[in-house]
Amino acid sequence: DWNNAAEAFRTALKSRNLDKPADAHMALGTALFNANKFAEARTQFVAAAQSPALAEAAGNWIRFVDQELARREAVRAM
């Protein structure tokens, strides 16, 4: 269940004891994306992109989310 996964990652991020919080932001973004919570997912990918190690992958996710949001908006406009 993606919503439960997202909640687990949110809890982990609140603990502030993570060695690599950007990894948790990336995982939370992925869970939110799969739960169709695109705007929230994008926010998490932006946070993950602050890590040099994840900047490229997070950037790809941001572009993918933006494309999905645009696609859904185009479908709604039909």
Side-chain angles (χ1 to χ4, degrees), residues 22-74:
D23 290 346
H25 283 291
M26 184 70 96
L28 176 53
T30 303
L32 290 167
F33 180 87
N34 286 306
N36 295 318
K37 296 178 180 177
F38 302 112
E40 292 177 66
R42 189 181 194 287
T43 299
Q44 296 305 315
F45 293 131
V46 168
Q50 302 308 306
S51 165
L54 296 176
E56 183 178 354
N60 289 336
W61 269 107
I62 292 165
R63 284 187 292 284
F64 185 61
V65 170
D66 288 345
Q67 290 171 349
E68 182 60 18
L69 288 169
R71 185 191 71 78
R72 286 173 181 253
E73 185 60 34

Side-chain angles (χ1 to χ4, degrees), residues 73-78:
E73 185 60 34
V75 168
R76 269 194 296 271
M78 294 180 129

